[in-house]
Amino acid sequence: MNVLSSYAHAASIVTPESLTENTLASLEQIFTRPLVLAAFDLIDRSNVLEYSSPGGHYYQVFGSTASYQVFLDLPSPTPAYCTCPAFSYLLLSPESTLMCKHILAALFGRKLGRIIQRQLNPEELATTLLQE
Ligand SMILES: [Zn+2]
């Protein structure tokens, strides 16, 4: 498994109906417990926003020192992308099954319906993307 297949696996096992102890245990097995806890911590702090516009959508995840943009549902071969340095590093490590906490937070938050939604028109979306 690499970083992207572990993401696909996580996406397939988390559903709003099945966030059980078993699901959490499976996630911790793939990504490690600290990473899974860090992702849920971001969700609990309402640090995950979804910006949507008629042209598409992306997520903004606020960390303690910086905020990053997360893209899910991209065409293969890279179904998810984050602008943080950790994710670029992970992509270059073919053996890594870790994932950055921002992508996990966006993925889990979306599955569980716990993401703050913002609507943008296309001009606002372009401006937001250019600023960061
Ligand atoms: Zn990240």
Side-chain angles (χ1 to χ4, degrees):
M1 231 170 13
N2 64 23
V3 62
L4 295 172
S5 58
S6 59
Y7 164 80
H9 185 57
S12 70
I13 62 174
V14 181
T15 69
E17 298 79 30
S18 75
L19 192 71
T20 60
E21 290 298 317
N22 279 344
T23 307
L24 282 174
S26 311
L27 292 172
E28 289 174 4
Q29 226 166 31
I30 307 171
F31 299 112
T32 76
R33 185 176 172 83
L35 199 59
V36 172
L37 291 180
F40 280 105
D41 189 53
L42 287 168
I43 298 170
D44 287 340
R45 293 167 189 271
S46 306
N47 282 6
V48 187
L49 270 67
E50 177 177 2
Y51 289 102
S52 40
S53 80
H57 67 115
Y58 73 96
Y59 302 86
Q60 186 86 31
V61 181
F62 295 88
S64 46
T65 55
S67 74
Y68 302 106
Q69 284 154 4
V70 170
F71 300 86
L72 303 180
D73 317 315
L74 299 170
S76 286
T78 310
Y81 187 80
C82 179
T83 55
C84 78
F87 184 70
S88 314
Y89 177 77
L90 290 171
L91 269 188
L92 297 174
S93 328
E95 300 305 314
S96 177
T97 57
L98 292 176
M99 175 55 74
C100 80
K101 63 183 178 183
H102 314 111
I103 288 181
L104 290 183
L107 175 67
F108 300 161
R110 179 175 71 176
K111 291 266 186 177
L112 302 173
R114 294 187 50 196
I115 286 182
I116 299 158
Q117 311 269 340
R118 294 277 155 80
Q119 301 291 330
L120 297 176
N121 65 41
E123 288 78 21
E124 288 169 326
L125 182 66
T127 310
T128 311
L129 287 170
L130 283 173
Q131 275 168 354
E132 286 151 8

PDB file of all heavy atoms in Angstrom, residues 87-125:
ATOM      1  N   PHE A  87       2.638  16.450   2.922  1.00  0.00           N
ATOM      2  CA  PHE A  87       2.005  15.628   1.891  1.00  0.00           C
ATOM      3  C   PHE A  87       2.920  15.479   0.676  1.00  0.00           C
ATOM      4  O   PHE A  87       3.026  14.389   0.105  1.00  0.00           O
ATOM      5  CB  PHE A  87       0.650  16.215   1.478  1.00  0.00           C
ATOM      6  CG  PHE A  87      -0.069  15.349   0.489  1.00  0.00           C
ATOM      7  CD1 PHE A  87      -0.591  14.131   0.870  1.00  0.00           C
ATOM      8  CD2 PHE A  87      -0.193  15.740  -0.834  1.00  0.00           C
ATOM      9  CE1 PHE A  87      -1.239  13.305  -0.044  1.00  0.00           C
ATOM     10  CE2 PHE A  87      -0.842  14.930  -1.756  1.00  0.00           C
ATOM     11  CZ  PHE A  87      -1.366  13.708  -1.359  1.00  0.00           C
ATOM     12  N   SER A  88       3.587  16.547   0.270  1.00  0.00           N
ATOM     13  CA  SER A  88       4.523  16.447  -0.864  1.00  0.00           C
ATOM     14  C   SER A  88       5.590  15.417  -0.557  1.00  0.00           C
ATOM     15  O   SER A  88       5.988  14.635  -1.418  1.00  0.00           O
ATOM     16  CB  SER A  88       5.211  17.791  -1.121  1.00  0.00           C
ATOM     17  OG  SER A  88       4.283  18.818  -1.097  1.00  0.00           O
ATOM     18  N   TYR A  89       6.038  15.432   0.673  1.00  0.00           N
ATOM     19  CA  TYR A  89       7.059  14.473   1.076  1.00  0.00           C
ATOM     20  C   TYR A  89       6.519  13.034   1.011  1.00  0.00           C
ATOM     21  O   TYR A  89       7.177  12.137   0.489  1.00  0.00           O
ATOM     22  CB  TYR A  89       7.532  14.814   2.485  1.00  0.00           C
ATOM     23  CG  TYR A  89       8.544  13.842   3.024  1.00  0.00           C
ATOM     24  CD1 TYR A  89       9.870  13.889   2.614  1.00  0.00           C
ATOM     25  CD2 TYR A  89       8.157  12.865   3.932  1.00  0.00           C
ATOM     26  CE1 TYR A  89      10.796  12.987   3.099  1.00  0.00           C
ATOM     27  CE2 TYR A  89       9.075  11.952   4.425  1.00  0.00           C
ATOM     28  CZ  TYR A  89      10.394  12.010   3.998  1.00  0.00           C
ATOM     29  OH  TYR A  89      11.297  11.104   4.480  1.00  0.00           O
ATOM     30  N   LEU A  90       5.307  12.844   1.509  1.00  0.00           N
ATOM     31  CA  LEU A  90       4.711  11.496   1.516  1.00  0.00           C
ATOM     32  C   LEU A  90       4.515  10.959   0.101  1.00  0.00           C
ATOM     33  O   LEU A  90       4.708   9.771  -0.150  1.00  0.00           O
ATOM     34  CB  LEU A  90       3.365  11.520   2.253  1.00  0.00           C
ATOM     35  CG  LEU A  90       3.433  11.736   3.765  1.00  0.00           C
ATOM     36  CD1 LEU A  90       2.051  11.968   4.326  1.00  0.00           C
ATOM     37  CD2 LEU A  90       4.081  10.531   4.433  1.00  0.00           C
ATOM     38  N   LEU A  91       4.131  11.842  -0.811  1.00  0.00           N
ATOM     39  CA  LEU A  91       3.903  11.407  -2.194  1.00  0.00           C
ATOM     40  C   LEU A  91       5.172  10.855  -2.817  1.00  0.00           C
ATOM     41  O   LEU A  91       5.124   9.995  -3.690  1.00  0.00           O
ATOM     42  CB  LEU A  91       3.419  12.578  -3.042  1.00  0.00           C
ATOM     43  CG  LEU A  91       1.925  12.818  -3.155  1.00  0.00           C
ATOM     44  CD1 LEU A  91       1.675  13.892  -4.192  1.00  0.00           C
ATOM     45  CD2 LEU A  91       1.168  11.554  -3.513  1.00  0.00           C
ATOM     46  N   LEU A  92       6.300  11.375  -2.358  1.00  0.00           N
ATOM     47  CA  LEU A  92       7.576  10.940  -2.913  1.00  0.00           C
ATOM     48  C   LEU A  92       8.088   9.663  -2.264  1.00  0.00           C
ATOM     49  O   LEU A  92       9.101   9.116  -2.685  1.00  0.00           O
ATOM     50  CB  LEU A  92       8.626  12.044  -2.747  1.00  0.00           C
ATOM     51  CG  LEU A  92       8.331  13.344  -3.500  1.00  0.00           C
ATOM     52  CD1 LEU A  92       9.338  14.415  -3.153  1.00  0.00           C
ATOM     53  CD2 LEU A  92       8.311  13.093  -4.998  1.00  0.00           C
ATOM     54  N   SER A  93       7.388   9.191  -1.230  1.00  0.00           N
ATOM     55  CA  SER A  93       7.826   7.972  -0.547  1.00  0.00           C
ATOM     56  C   SER A  93       6.894   6.834  -0.918  1.00  0.00           C
ATOM     57  O   SER A  93       5.818   6.709  -0.342  1.00  0.00           O
ATOM     58  CB  SER A  93       7.795   8.158   0.970  1.00  0.00           C
ATOM     59  OG  SER A  93       8.074   9.483   1.313  1.00  0.00           O
ATOM     60  N   PRO A  94       7.258   6.036  -1.887  1.00  0.00           N
ATOM     61  CA  PRO A  94       6.332   5.020  -2.403  1.00  0.00           C
ATOM     62  C   PRO A  94       5.883   4.011  -1.358  1.00  0.00           C
ATOM     63  O   PRO A  94       4.810   3.409  -1.492  1.00  0.00           O
ATOM     64  CB  PRO A  94       7.124   4.336  -3.527  1.00  0.00           C
ATOM     65  CG  PRO A  94       8.501   4.851  -3.483  1.00  0.00           C
ATOM     66  CD  PRO A  94       8.562   6.016  -2.549  1.00  0.00           C
ATOM     67  N   GLU A  95       6.659   3.817  -0.305  1.00  0.00           N
ATOM     68  CA  GLU A  95       6.301   2.815   0.696  1.00  0.00           C
ATOM     69  C   GLU A  95       5.451   3.376   1.823  1.00  0.00           C
ATOM     70  O   GLU A  95       4.993   2.649   2.685  1.00  0.00           O
ATOM     71  CB  GLU A  95       7.565   2.187   1.306  1.00  0.00           C
ATOM     72  CG  GLU A  95       8.455   1.476   0.296  1.00  0.00           C
ATOM     73  CD  GLU A  95       7.696   0.416  -0.481  1.00  0.00           C
ATOM     74  OE1 GLU A  95       6.956  -0.349   0.169  1.00  0.00           O
ATOM     75  OE2 GLU A  95       7.822   0.362  -1.708  1.00  0.00           O
ATOM     76  N   SER A  96       5.276   4.677   1.847  1.00  0.00           N
ATOM     77  CA  SER A  96       4.598   5.269   2.994  1.00  0.00           C
ATOM     78  C   SER A  96       3.100   5.024   2.941  1.00  0.00           C
ATOM     79  O   SER A  96       2.459   5.217   1.914  1.00  0.00           O
ATOM     80  CB  SER A  96       4.855   6.771   3.044  1.00  0.00           C
ATOM     81  OG  SER A  96       4.134   7.325   4.121  1.00  0.00           O
ATOM     82  N   THR A  97       2.528   4.595   4.054  1.00  0.00           N
ATOM     83  CA  THR A  97       1.075   4.482   4.134  1.00  0.00           C
ATOM     84  C   THR A  97       0.502   5.622   4.962  1.00  0.00           C
ATOM     85  O   THR A  97      -0.695   5.653   5.224  1.00  0.00           O
ATOM     86  CB  THR A  97       0.644   3.150   4.776  1.00  0.00           C
ATOM     87  OG1 THR A  97       1.235   3.070   6.058  1.00  0.00           O
ATOM     88  CG2 THR A  97       1.080   1.986   3.923  1.00  0.00           C
ATOM     89  N   LEU A  98       1.344   6.526   5.399  1.00  0.00           N
ATOM     90  CA  LEU A  98       0.836   7.650   6.171  1.00  0.00           C
ATOM     91  C   LEU A  98       0.125   8.636   5.239  1.00  0.00           C
ATOM     92  O   LEU A  98       0.256   8.571   4.036  1.00  0.00           O
ATOM     93  CB  LEU A  98       1.978   8.354   6.898  1.00  0.00           C
ATOM     94  CG  LEU A  98       2.619   7.537   8.006  1.00  0.00           C
ATOM     95  CD1 LEU A  98       3.806   8.284   8.586  1.00  0.00           C
ATOM     96  CD2 LEU A  98       1.622   7.221   9.095  1.00  0.00           C
ATOM     97  N   MET A  99      -0.598   9.534   5.863  1.00  0.00           N
ATOM     98  CA  MET A  99      -1.344  10.533   5.106  1.00  0.00           C
ATOM     99  C   MET A  99      -1.292  11.799   5.938  1.00  0.00           C
ATOM    100  O   MET A  99      -1.187  11.714   7.160  1.00  0.00           O
ATOM    101  CB  MET A  99      -2.782  10.032   4.941  1.00  0.00           C
ATOM    102  CG  MET A  99      -3.752  10.961   4.288  1.00  0.00           C
ATOM    103  SD  MET A  99      -3.239  11.545   2.672  1.00  0.00           S
ATOM    104  CE  MET A  99      -3.500  10.096   1.647  1.00  0.00           C
ATOM    105  N   CYS A 100      -1.339  12.960   5.327  1.00  0.00           N
ATOM    106  CA  CYS A 100      -1.308  14.149   6.179  1.00  0.00           C
ATOM    107  C   CYS A 100      -2.642  14.306   6.891  1.00  0.00           C
ATOM    108  O   CYS A 100      -3.690  13.876   6.406  1.00  0.00           O
ATOM    109  CB  CYS A 100      -0.915  15.398   5.390  1.00  0.00           C
ATOM    110  SG  CYS A 100      -2.234  16.133   4.448  1.00  0.00           S
ATOM    111  N   LYS A 101      -2.590  14.915   8.063  1.00  0.00           N
ATOM    112  CA  LYS A 101      -3.802  15.014   8.883  1.00  0.00           C
ATOM    113  C   LYS A 101      -4.859  15.910   8.247  1.00  0.00           C
ATOM    114  O   LYS A 101      -6.047  15.760   8.530  1.00  0.00           O
ATOM    115  CB  LYS A 101      -3.446  15.520  10.280  1.00  0.00           C
ATOM    116  CG  LYS A 101      -2.855  16.914  10.314  1.00  0.00           C
ATOM    117  CD  LYS A 101      -2.476  17.300  11.733  1.00  0.00           C
ATOM    118  CE  LYS A 101      -1.842  18.678  11.745  1.00  0.00           C
ATOM    119  NZ  LYS A 101      -1.386  19.067  13.093  1.00  0.00           N
ATOM    120  N   HIS A 102      -4.435  16.821   7.369  1.00  0.00           N
ATOM    121  CA  HIS A 102      -5.403  17.724   6.739  1.00  0.00           C
ATOM    122  C   HIS A 102      -6.333  16.975   5.792  1.00  0.00           C
ATOM    123  O   HIS A 102      -7.541  17.211   5.771  1.00  0.00           O
ATOM    124  CB  HIS A 102      -4.656  18.829   5.981  1.00  0.00           C
ATOM    125  CG  HIS A 102      -3.540  19.428   6.762  1.00  0.00           C
ATOM    126  ND1 HIS A 102      -2.215  19.244   6.440  1.00  0.00           N
ATOM    127  CD2 HIS A 102      -3.554  20.167   7.894  1.00  0.00           C
ATOM    128  CE1 HIS A 102      -1.456  19.851   7.329  1.00  0.00           C
ATOM    129  NE2 HIS A 102      -2.234  20.415   8.231  1.00  0.00           N
ATOM    130  N   ILE A 103      -5.744  16.080   4.998  1.00  0.00           N
ATOM    131  CA  ILE A 103      -6.572  15.292   4.076  1.00  0.00           C
ATOM    132  C   ILE A 103      -7.495  14.377   4.870  1.00  0.00           C
ATOM    133  O   ILE A 103      -8.683  14.242   4.563  1.00  0.00           O
ATOM    134  CB  ILE A 103      -5.690  14.484   3.102  1.00  0.00           C
ATOM    135  CG1 ILE A 103      -5.052  15.450   2.097  1.00  0.00           C
ATOM    136  CG2 ILE A 103      -6.501  13.406   2.375  1.00  0.00           C
ATOM    137  CD1 ILE A 103      -4.177  14.774   1.057  1.00  0.00           C
ATOM    138  N   LEU A 104      -6.963  13.760   5.916  1.00  0.00           N
ATOM    139  CA  LEU A 104      -7.816  12.888   6.736  1.00  0.00           C
ATOM    140  C   LEU A 104      -8.942  13.686   7.377  1.00  0.00           C
ATOM    141  O   LEU A 104     -10.089  13.234   7.421  1.00  0.00           O
ATOM    142  CB  LEU A 104      -6.977  12.193   7.819  1.00  0.00           C
ATOM    143  CG  LEU A 104      -6.001  11.117   7.327  1.00  0.00           C
ATOM    144  CD1 LEU A 104      -5.298  10.468   8.516  1.00  0.00           C
ATOM    145  CD2 LEU A 104      -6.711  10.058   6.499  1.00  0.00           C
ATOM    146  N   ALA A 105      -8.636  14.890   7.846  1.00  0.00           N
ATOM    147  CA  ALA A 105      -9.665  15.713   8.486  1.00  0.00           C
ATOM    148  C   ALA A 105     -10.760  16.066   7.480  1.00  0.00           C
ATOM    149  O   ALA A 105     -11.954  15.997   7.794  1.00  0.00           O
ATOM    150  CB  ALA A 105      -9.044  16.983   9.074  1.00  0.00           C
ATOM    151  N   ALA A 106     -10.360  16.425   6.270  1.00  0.00           N
ATOM    152  CA  ALA A 106     -11.360  16.762   5.242  1.00  0.00           C
ATOM    153  C   ALA A 106     -12.184  15.531   4.874  1.00  0.00           C
ATOM    154  O   ALA A 106     -13.408  15.601   4.750  1.00  0.00           O
ATOM    155  CB  ALA A 106     -10.670  17.339   4.009  1.00  0.00           C
ATOM    156  N   LEU A 107     -11.505  14.414   4.739  1.00  0.00           N
ATOM    157  CA  LEU A 107     -12.192  13.184   4.367  1.00  0.00           C
ATOM    158  C   LEU A 107     -13.173  12.734   5.451  1.00  0.00           C
ATOM    159  O   LEU A 107     -14.354  12.487   5.192  1.00  0.00           O
ATOM    160  CB  LEU A 107     -11.156  12.084   4.109  1.00  0.00           C
ATOM    161  CG  LEU A 107     -11.707  10.695   3.816  1.00  0.00           C
ATOM    162  CD1 LEU A 107     -12.453  10.673   2.490  1.00  0.00           C
ATOM    163  CD2 LEU A 107     -10.590   9.659   3.794  1.00  0.00           C
ATOM    164  N   PHE A 108     -12.695  12.658   6.682  1.00  0.00           N
ATOM    165  CA  PHE A 108     -13.561  12.218   7.784  1.00  0.00           C
ATOM    166  C   PHE A 108     -14.687  13.227   8.006  1.00  0.00           C
ATOM    167  O   PHE A 108     -15.841  12.850   8.192  1.00  0.00           O
ATOM    168  CB  PHE A 108     -12.779  12.083   9.094  1.00  0.00           C
ATOM    169  CG  PHE A 108     -11.642  11.083   9.037  1.00  0.00           C
ATOM    170  CD1 PHE A 108     -10.618  11.141   9.975  1.00  0.00           C
ATOM    171  CD2 PHE A 108     -11.587  10.103   8.061  1.00  0.00           C
ATOM    172  CE1 PHE A 108      -9.566  10.233   9.950  1.00  0.00           C
ATOM    173  CE2 PHE A 108     -10.535   9.193   8.022  1.00  0.00           C
ATOM    174  CZ  PHE A 108      -9.523   9.258   8.970  1.00  0.00           C
ATOM    175  N   GLY A 109     -14.319  14.514   8.006  1.00  0.00           N
ATOM    176  CA  GLY A 109     -15.317  15.553   8.262  1.00  0.00           C
ATOM    177  C   GLY A 109     -16.440  15.515   7.241  1.00  0.00           C
ATOM    178  O   GLY A 109     -17.608  15.665   7.572  1.00  0.00           O
ATOM    179  N   ARG A 110     -16.066  15.306   5.992  1.00  0.00           N
ATOM    180  CA  ARG A 110     -17.085  15.241   4.959  1.00  0.00           C
ATOM    181  C   ARG A 110     -17.977  14.016   5.125  1.00  0.00           C
ATOM    182  O   ARG A 110     -19.198  14.106   5.055  1.00  0.00           O
ATOM    183  CB  ARG A 110     -16.444  15.218   3.584  1.00  0.00           C
ATOM    184  CG  ARG A 110     -17.500  15.132   2.499  1.00  0.00           C
ATOM    185  CD  ARG A 110     -16.932  15.237   1.141  1.00  0.00           C
ATOM    186  NE  ARG A 110     -16.180  14.041   0.787  1.00  0.00           N
ATOM    187  CZ  ARG A 110     -15.638  13.862  -0.411  1.00  0.00           C
ATOM    188  NH1 ARG A 110     -15.723  14.820  -1.295  1.00  0.00           N
ATOM    189  NH2 ARG A 110     -14.986  12.765  -0.683  1.00  0.00           N
ATOM    190  N   LYS A 111     -17.347  12.877   5.376  1.00  0.00           N
ATOM    191  CA  LYS A 111     -18.134  11.649   5.536  1.00  0.00           C
ATOM    192  C   LYS A 111     -19.109  11.781   6.702  1.00  0.00           C
ATOM    193  O   LYS A 111     -20.200  11.236   6.672  1.00  0.00           O
ATOM    194  CB  LYS A 111     -17.202  10.466   5.805  1.00  0.00           C
ATOM    195  CG  LYS A 111     -16.347  10.084   4.617  1.00  0.00           C
ATOM    196  CD  LYS A 111     -17.014   8.981   3.811  1.00  0.00           C
ATOM    197  CE  LYS A 111     -16.087   8.514   2.706  1.00  0.00           C
ATOM    198  NZ  LYS A 111     -16.690   7.410   1.957  1.00  0.00           N
ATOM    199  N   LEU A 112     -18.669  12.479   7.744  1.00  0.00           N
ATOM    200  CA  LEU A 112     -19.485  12.568   8.952  1.00  0.00           C
ATOM    201  C   LEU A 112     -20.380  13.807   8.953  1.00  0.00           C
ATOM    202  O   LEU A 112     -21.099  14.049   9.907  1.00  0.00           O
ATOM    203  CB  LEU A 112     -18.570  12.582  10.188  1.00  0.00           C
ATOM    204  CG  LEU A 112     -17.655  11.358  10.300  1.00  0.00           C
ATOM    205  CD1 LEU A 112     -16.665  11.524  11.428  1.00  0.00           C
ATOM    206  CD2 LEU A 112     -18.480  10.092  10.487  1.00  0.00           C
ATOM    207  N   GLY A 113     -20.300  14.608   7.887  1.00  0.00           N
ATOM    208  CA  GLY A 113     -21.137  15.801   7.802  1.00  0.00           C
ATOM    209  C   GLY A 113     -20.783  16.845   8.841  1.00  0.00           C
ATOM    210  O   GLY A 113     -21.652  17.529   9.372  1.00  0.00           O
ATOM    211  N   ARG A 114     -19.492  16.993   9.157  1.00  0.00           N
ATOM    212  CA  ARG A 114     -19.087  17.929  10.204  1.00  0.00           C
ATOM    213  C   ARG A 114     -18.154  19.016   9.684  1.00  0.00           C
ATOM    214  O   ARG A 114     -17.276  19.489  10.381  1.00  0.00           O
ATOM    215  CB  ARG A 114     -18.419  17.155  11.341  1.00  0.00           C
ATOM    216  CG  ARG A 114     -19.420  16.239  12.049  1.00  0.00           C
ATOM    217  CD  ARG A 114     -18.814  15.602  13.258  1.00  0.00           C
ATOM    218  NE  ARG A 114     -18.168  16.579  14.114  1.00  0.00           N
ATOM    219  CZ  ARG A 114     -17.301  16.250  15.068  1.00  0.00           C
ATOM    220  NH1 ARG A 114     -16.977  14.998  15.262  1.00  0.00           N
ATOM    221  NH2 ARG A 114     -16.756  17.173  15.820  1.00  0.00           N
ATOM    222  N   ILE A 115     -18.363  19.407   8.442  1.00  0.00           N
ATOM    223  CA  ILE A 115     -17.530  20.453   7.853  1.00  0.00           C
ATOM    224  C   ILE A 115     -18.361  21.708   7.676  1.00  0.00           C
ATOM    225  O   ILE A 115     -19.533  21.639   7.297  1.00  0.00           O
ATOM    226  CB  ILE A 115     -16.943  19.971   6.510  1.00  0.00           C
ATOM    227  CG1 ILE A 115     -15.837  18.963   6.804  1.00  0.00           C
ATOM    228  CG2 ILE A 115     -16.401  21.131   5.686  1.00  0.00           C
ATOM    229  CD1 ILE A 115     -15.151  18.437   5.574  1.00  0.00           C
ATOM    230  N   ILE A 116     -17.757  22.854   7.962  1.00  0.00           N
ATOM    231  CA  ILE A 116     -18.449  24.125   7.790  1.00  0.00           C
ATOM    232  C   ILE A 116     -18.453  24.486   6.308  1.00  0.00           C
ATOM    233  O   ILE A 116     -17.412  24.475   5.660  1.00  0.00           O
ATOM    234  CB  ILE A 116     -17.730  25.224   8.602  1.00  0.00           C
ATOM    235  CG1 ILE A 116     -17.744  24.847  10.080  1.00  0.00           C
ATOM    236  CG2 ILE A 116     -18.362  26.576   8.353  1.00  0.00           C
ATOM    237  CD1 ILE A 116     -16.668  25.525  10.889  1.00  0.00           C
ATOM    238  N   GLN A 117     -19.636  24.777   5.789  1.00  0.00           N
ATOM    239  CA  GLN A 117     -19.762  25.031   4.351  1.00  0.00           C
ATOM    240  C   GLN A 117     -19.768  26.522   4.060  1.00  0.00           C
ATOM    241  O   GLN A 117     -20.432  27.287   4.737  1.00  0.00           O
ATOM    242  CB  GLN A 117     -21.093  24.454   3.833  1.00  0.00           C
ATOM    243  CG  GLN A 117     -21.365  23.045   4.245  1.00  0.00           C
ATOM    244  CD  GLN A 117     -20.833  22.049   3.244  1.00  0.00           C
ATOM    245  OE1 GLN A 117     -20.595  22.400   2.093  1.00  0.00           O
ATOM    246  NE2 GLN A 117     -20.630  20.822   3.679  1.00  0.00           N
ATOM    247  N   ARG A 118     -19.030  26.919   3.051  1.00  0.00           N
ATOM    248  CA  ARG A 118     -19.079  28.295   2.558  1.00  0.00           C
ATOM    249  C   ARG A 118     -19.349  28.262   1.068  1.00  0.00           C
ATOM    250  O   ARG A 118     -18.699  27.521   0.344  1.00  0.00           O
ATOM    251  CB  ARG A 118     -17.729  29.000   2.782  1.00  0.00           C
ATOM    252  CG  ARG A 118     -17.359  29.214   4.225  1.00  0.00           C
ATOM    253  CD  ARG A 118     -18.029  30.476   4.767  1.00  0.00           C
ATOM    254  NE  ARG A 118     -18.191  30.410   6.211  1.00  0.00           N
ATOM    255  CZ  ARG A 118     -17.231  30.670   7.092  1.00  0.00           C
ATOM    256  NH1 ARG A 118     -16.051  31.032   6.677  1.00  0.00           N
ATOM    257  NH2 ARG A 118     -17.447  30.585   8.373  1.00  0.00           N
ATOM    258  N   GLN A 119     -20.286  29.084   0.636  1.00  0.00           N
ATOM    259  CA  GLN A 119     -20.551  29.181  -0.798  1.00  0.00           C
ATOM    260  C   GLN A 119     -19.781  30.359  -1.371  1.00  0.00           C
ATOM    261  O   GLN A 119     -19.761  31.437  -0.783  1.00  0.00           O
ATOM    262  CB  GLN A 119     -22.046  29.404  -1.058  1.00  0.00           C
ATOM    263  CG  GLN A 119     -22.948  28.325  -0.511  1.00  0.00           C
ATOM    264  CD  GLN A 119     -22.794  27.002  -1.253  1.00  0.00           C
ATOM    265  OE1 GLN A 119     -22.468  26.997  -2.441  1.00  0.00           O
ATOM    266  NE2 GLN A 119     -23.009  25.898  -0.561  1.00  0.00           N
ATOM    267  N   LEU A 120     -19.153  30.171  -2.485  1.00  0.00           N
ATOM    268  CA  LEU A 120     -18.439  31.244  -3.154  1.00  0.00           C
ATOM    269  C   LEU A 120     -18.922  31.319  -4.595  1.00  0.00           C
ATOM    270  O   LEU A 120     -19.198  30.301  -5.208  1.00  0.00           O
ATOM    271  CB  LEU A 120     -16.930  30.970  -3.177  1.00  0.00           C
ATOM    272  CG  LEU A 120     -16.171  30.882  -1.858  1.00  0.00           C
ATOM    273  CD1 LEU A 120     -14.723  30.513  -2.147  1.00  0.00           C
ATOM    274  CD2 LEU A 120     -16.240  32.194  -1.117  1.00  0.00           C
ATOM    275  N   ASN A 121     -18.967  32.532  -5.131  1.00  0.00           N
ATOM    276  CA  ASN A 121     -19.183  32.591  -6.572  1.00  0.00           C
ATOM    277  C   ASN A 121     -17.823  32.409  -7.256  1.00  0.00           C
ATOM    278  O   ASN A 121     -16.783  32.471  -6.599  1.00  0.00           O
ATOM    279  CB  ASN A 121     -19.906  33.887  -6.968  1.00  0.00           C
ATOM    280  CG  ASN A 121     -19.073  35.122  -6.694  1.00  0.00           C
ATOM    281  OD1 ASN A 121     -17.856  35.113  -6.938  1.00  0.00           O
ATOM    282  ND2 ASN A 121     -19.691  36.169  -6.186  1.00  0.00           N
ATOM    283  N   PRO A 122     -17.809  32.156  -8.545  1.00  0.00           N
ATOM    284  CA  PRO A 122     -16.534  31.817  -9.204  1.00  0.00           C
ATOM    285  C   PRO A 122     -15.454  32.884  -9.037  1.00  0.00           C
ATOM    286  O   PRO A 122     -14.276  32.566  -8.890  1.00  0.00           O
ATOM    287  CB  PRO A 122     -16.938  31.658 -10.679  1.00  0.00           C
ATOM    288  CG  PRO A 122     -18.366  31.257 -10.629  1.00  0.00           C
ATOM    289  CD  PRO A 122     -18.956  31.998  -9.455  1.00  0.00           C
ATOM    290  N   GLU A 123     -15.835  34.162  -9.017  1.00  0.00           N
ATOM    291  CA  GLU A 123     -14.827  35.214  -8.851  1.00  0.00           C
ATOM    292  C   GLU A 123     -14.212  35.145  -7.463  1.00  0.00           C
ATOM    293  O   GLU A 123     -13.002  35.294  -7.300  1.00  0.00           O
ATOM    294  CB  GLU A 123     -15.444  36.612  -9.064  1.00  0.00           C
ATOM    295  CG  GLU A 123     -15.794  36.929 -10.509  1.00  0.00           C
ATOM    296  CD  GLU A 123     -17.086  36.251 -10.949  1.00  0.00           C
ATOM    297  OE1 GLU A 123     -17.895  35.890 -10.065  1.00  0.00           O
ATOM    298  OE2 GLU A 123     -17.271  36.047 -12.164  1.00  0.00           O
ATOM    299  N   GLU A 124     -15.044  34.942  -6.467  1.00  0.00           N
ATOM    300  CA  GLU A 124     -14.525  34.836  -5.100  1.00  0.00           C
ATOM    301  C   GLU A 124     -13.609  33.628  -4.965  1.00  0.00           C
ATOM    302  O   GLU A 124     -12.585  33.674  -4.287  1.00  0.00           O
ATOM    303  CB  GLU A 124     -15.684  34.706  -4.098  1.00  0.00           C
ATOM    304  CG  GLU A 124     -16.470  35.973  -3.911  1.00  0.00           C
ATOM    305  CD  GLU A 124     -17.759  35.713  -3.114  1.00  0.00           C
ATOM    306  OE1 GLU A 124     -18.356  34.631  -3.255  1.00  0.00           O
ATOM    307  OE2 GLU A 124     -18.135  36.607  -2.353  1.00  0.00           O
ATOM    308  N   LEU A 125     -13.998  32.538  -5.613  1.00  0.00           N
ATOM    309  CA  LEU A 125     -13.191  31.325  -5.546  1.00  0.00           C
ATOM    310  C   LEU A 125     -11.808  31.580  -6.151  1.00  0.00           C
ATOM    311  O   LEU A 125     -10.778  31.229  -5.572  1.00  0.00           O
ATOM    312  CB  LEU A 125     -13.892  30.186  -6.284  1.00  0.00           C
ATOM    313  CG  LEU A 125     -13.177  28.834  -6.246  1.00  0.00           C
ATOM    314  CD1 LEU A 125     -13.132  28.278  -4.832  1.00  0.00           C
ATOM    315  CD2 LEU A 125     -13.859  27.833  -7.170  1.00  0.00           C
TER     316      LEU A 125
END
